[in-house]
Amino acid sequence: MNRKPFIAGNWKMNMTAASGKKLIEELKPLVENADCDVALCVPAILIPEMVKTAAGSNIKIGAENVHWAKSGAYTGEISADMLKEYGVEYAIIGHSERRQYFGETDESVNKRTLTALEAGITPIVCIGETLEERETDKTNEVLYRQLKTGLANVDDVTKVVIAYEPVWAIGTGRTATDAQAQETIAFIRKTIGELFCPKCAEKIVIQYGGSMNAGNCKGLMAQPDIDGGLIGGASLKTDFAAIVNYNK
Ligand code: PEP
């Protein structure tokens, strides 16, 4: 099964319209011959300007979250229709920072995921264990729960991208080893096979995220079950292009 690799950036709460435009203009020629799909998930307020800047290039713009309701009294939230109106194709859902600081749960991840799919936005669903969970051998149990609840009632799971992001590796400079990332992502793929279907498991794109950079991306991307990366810090610089071009 040939899965198309997918490298996505997560700007988090960084960049301005001016610095974002400058970076995308610099990235465009650097990533134009990429063999993978490329996206940058950016703060909601920057979406219209970044979509305009990336137009005509192979860089797609994504959001960092999406609400589950069509519209209503949800101050500060953004709906899938609002994102679609500006041409957003991806939305990160359930990032560990949302889980840690904003009370995101597997249940809310599920609602956001179902809404994104219904709107034709590809959800990038983040799952991952904390350091304590890894050290107490709970990694697989945690991931299983996050997958079972977070993806409940999804009709076609191959329309979801999963980002395996061990919480202890995000923004810490401490990357999972190639073998650790491969072993855990193989478990995630096997679990998708059990919860959905074996063919779905072969088809679904699973990224690794956590301090991935220009230096370690080749080794990670060489692993058979790793189909891409969700990149935080390194997506704020032209280093992102080196990750996108990991195979050149
Ligand atoms: C992320 O925020 O999804 C992430 C992986 O961050 P970093 O690459 O900075 O660890």
Side-chain angles (χ1 to χ4, degrees), residues 1 157-158 189 192-193 196-204:
M1 173 71 58
V157 79
T158 66
R189 200 175 294 289
I192 293 293
F196 294 90
C197 70
K199 271 218 170 76
C200 308
E202 277 177 47
K203 240 174 126 183
I204 191 168

Side-chain angles (χ1 to χ4, degrees), residues 50-237:
M50 298 311 115
V51 167
K52 238 191 274 169
T53 308
S57 79
N58 57 336
I59 302 173
K60 308 290 182 203
I61 299 299
E64 297 180 11
N65 197 9
V66 58
H67 198 263
W68 54 82
K70 194 104 191 110
S71 62
Y74 298 101
T75 303
E77 291 285 329
I78 313 273
S79 76
D81 286 349
M82 294 170 188
L83 297 175
K84 280 299 277 187
E85 198 176 10
Y86 283 97
V88 164
E89 296 187 34
Y90 298 94
I92 296 175
I93 294 176
H95 191 279
S96 64
E97 288 151 16
R98 300 282 326 161
R99 293 176 190 258
Q100 189 179 349
Y101 304 129
F102 301 100
E104 194 80 66
T105 62
D106 293 330
E107 286 75 17
S108 60
V109 166
N110 182 238
K111 293 202 277 183
R112 294 182 201 278
T113 301
L114 293 172
T115 297
L117 287 169
E118 204 180 296
I121 293 172
T122 300
I124 302 175
V125 176
C126 300
I127 59 172
E129 79 287 2
T130 62
L131 186 58
E132 193 198 339
E133 287 161 346
R134 177 157 283 263
E135 285 176 347
T136 52
D137 270 341
K138 295 210 175 82
T139 300
N140 290 1
E141 185 189 313
V142 167
L143 296 173
Y144 184 87
R145 189 200 67 227
Q146 291 175 337
L147 289 168
K148 188 168 164 54
T149 308
L151 300 179
N153 301 315
V154 167
D155 271 344
D156 183 357
V157 79
T158 66
K159 295 207 164 109
V160 173
V161 170
I162 294 173
Y164 166 57
E165 301 208 303
V167 179
W168 46 271
I170 297 178
T172 58
R174 186 176 164 186
T175 323
T177 63
D178 298 348
Q180 272 173 331
Q182 163 56 28
E183 187 189 0
T184 313
I185 290 180
F187 169 78
I188 293 169
R189 200 175 294 289
K190 181 171 131 295
T191 303
I192 293 293
E194 288 165 14
L195 293 173
F196 294 90
C197 70
K199 271 218 170 76
C200 308
E202 277 177 47
K203 240 174 126 183
I204 191 168
V205 169
I206 309 180
Q207 300 173 317
Y208 167 79
S211 299
M212 196 162 169
N213 58 39
N216 60 29
C217 61
K218 262 196 178 54
L220 287 160
M221 290 300 291
Q223 304 306 309
D225 282 295
I226 302 182
D227 306 321
L230 183 56
I231 320 297
S235 73
L236 301 172
K237 322 175 256 191

